[in-house]
Every structure is written in C-alpha cells, then in structure tokens.
Amino acid sequence: MRPRDAATLILVDRRRGGLRVLMGRRNPSLAFMPGRFVFPGGRTEPGDRRMPVANALPDYAEAALARQVSRPPQDLGRMLALAAIRETFEETGLVVGTTAYGPPETVPQGWEAFGRHGVLPDLEALHLVARAITPPKRVRRFDTRFFTAERGAVAAEEPGRIGPDAELVELEWLRLDAARKLDLPFITRTMLDELEAQIAAGFAPYRQIPFHYERHGKRERVAL
C-alpha cells in the first residue's frame, strides 16, 4: 500500500512554566490506531493547495520537505503545512493563524471556519519537526510530516469537536513526562523525543530534520 501524504501539528504551551503538548485520544471504534493518544493530523485534501496564507514556511522547512521526494510539486511544503492546520481544526476546533491581515478573500471547501473567524493561516509560525512513514502491512499508511506551533498561534476556537462520536474522544494539554506514560503509538512517542530535542536547540535553521521509516523490517532514522 502506497503511503498517502499527511501532516500533523504538535501544539505546545510554554506560558505557565514547563512545556505542555496537546494530545487527543482516538475513538476506539476507528480502524487506524483505535484508542491511542496522538497529535491532531491527517491526510492532505485538494483545498489545501488553494487556501490563502498570511506568511510562508521558513526556507529550511521548504527545503527539507522536498528532499527524498520524487518530483516534489512546487507547493508541497505549503500544502502539507496547511493540511496540518486544517486537520487540527477539524479534530480539535482550534483555528491556527492570524487576524492581523484581515479575513481570507476566498475560502476553499474544508476551510469555512477560517472565513467565519477572519483568520489567515500563518505558516511562518510553524516549525518542521520530522517526517515519518507508516511501516508496511498496516491497515493504513501515511507519509506524515510533523510540524509544531505555539499555543499563542491559536486565533479562535469552536467547541463541540470532541465527543463519543468524534474522531477524538478526549483532548488534553500534557507535560512531556505525563504524555510518555500514555498508550502511545511508537512514532508518537518518538516525536515527543524529537520535539524536546529541537526545542532545546531553539529550532535553529541549520538543525537536522529526522526522517523515520522502516526498511526490511528494521527501523531507520536518517537526516533530511
């Protein structure tokens, strides 16, 4: 099964002293990672290519996202970053972006909430953390790019996205030590480690961006 392009956004809160990350527990009825704690995210959609933005991704992120990709489209980084922001809203109700530049002039399907709140996604507020591909022989496979942003990048919120019939049945801001004690997929636990290391490095643009995948049954970690 060929992996589908996907993106995840790790929201972090450092406002009260000590780092917290936003995590949700997936509905136990889902086929993919049922009942596991994860970061908000999902696959890309056509509207992610057309949504207006306030600012572009940092250059280092654009360059890293294009590496080890066969014939990457010119808008690959933009599309992936927007997918992470849109999926975060769909799963949590949090609208990530800015109102400083006025509302978007056009809003493609799936982005209506940003028009309602007058929010433009601000890609400059995102840092690229890592890339990871779901191992073979899984129910679903994704080629996922993990981004992070500060809680202050949330410009609006719509309640009612979490519940027994939703994709996420719980949503919590957790310290890293508490998050590591949860029932986590391997890659989610790995991303907590990658995030902590990159925060310690101050998200320096020269840092290595890790790429996780499995080859011949062995886990690999290389730099993009």
Side-chain angles (χ1 to χ4, degrees):
M1 184 184 299
R2 183 176 180 178
R4 301 195 61 172
D5 281 327
T8 289
L9 183 58
I10 308 171
L11 285 171
V12 301
D13 185 358
R14 293 188 274 187
R15 297 179 303 175
R16 293 176 289 174
L19 176 70
R20 292 177 174 82
V21 295
L22 184 66
M23 302 194 75
R25 186 166 73 88
R26 288 175 59 80
N27 197 309
S29 66
L30 296 174
F32 186 69
M33 294 186 180
R36 311 296 292 278
F37 277 88
V38 297
F39 307 114
R43 66 188 186 187
T44 59
E45 298 290 351
D48 301 336
R49 294 183 180 274
R50 303 191 302 274
M51 181 64 190
V53 300
N55 296 292
L57 275 175
D59 290 342
Y60 83 85
E62 289 278 9
L65 288 165
R67 295 189 189 111
Q68 298 203 33
V69 177
S70 300
R71 293 176 293 181
Q74 187 174 2
D75 61 351
L76 177 64
R78 184 178 185 277
M79 177 184 67
L80 290 165
L82 282 169
I85 291 173
R86 175 186 49 75
E87 285 285 338
T88 295
F89 167 74
E90 290 181 359
E91 295 181 8
T92 70
L94 300 178
V95 182
V96 174
T98 178
T99 58
Y101 302 94
E105 294 183 2
T106 59
V107 179
Q109 184 177 357
W111 289 89
E112 293 83 0
F114 288 73
R116 288 194 297 272
H117 295 282
V119 174
L120 280 169
D122 185 2
L123 306 191
E124 193 175 41
L126 272 59
H127 291 290
L128 179 61
V129 175
R131 175 185 176 189
I133 296 180
T134 310
K137 300 180 181 179
R138 299 299 194 271
V139 175
R140 294 177 186 170
R141 298 190 70 206
F142 297 100
D143 187 347
T144 305
R145 284 69 163 195
F146 292 80
F147 298 89
T148 187
E150 299 284 343
R151 186 171 185 172
V154 176
E157 182 174 357
E158 288 191 1
R161 292 275 167 173
I162 308 300
D165 298 321
E167 186 168 345
L168 297 181
V169 297
E170 297 178 39
L171 193 65
E172 300 287 345
W173 289 95
L174 298 164
R175 292 184 182 273
L176 295 187
D177 56 350
R180 290 186 172 106
K181 295 176 182 178
L182 299 174
D183 181 16
L184 303 178
F186 169 81
I187 197 59
T188 303
R189 189 177 301 277
T190 300
M191 287 303 128
L192 288 173
D193 296 338
E194 301 288 11
L195 174 69
E196 189 171 29
Q198 293 198 26
I199 288 175
F203 295 111
Y206 54 79
R207 73 190 188 280
Q208 291 185 339
I209 303 299
F211 177 21
H212 295 265
Y213 61 94
E214 187 175 298
R215 184 178 183 182
H216 304 309
K218 181 181 178 182
R219 293 191 179 105
E220 302 281 352
R221 180 187 185 274
V222 299
L224 290 175

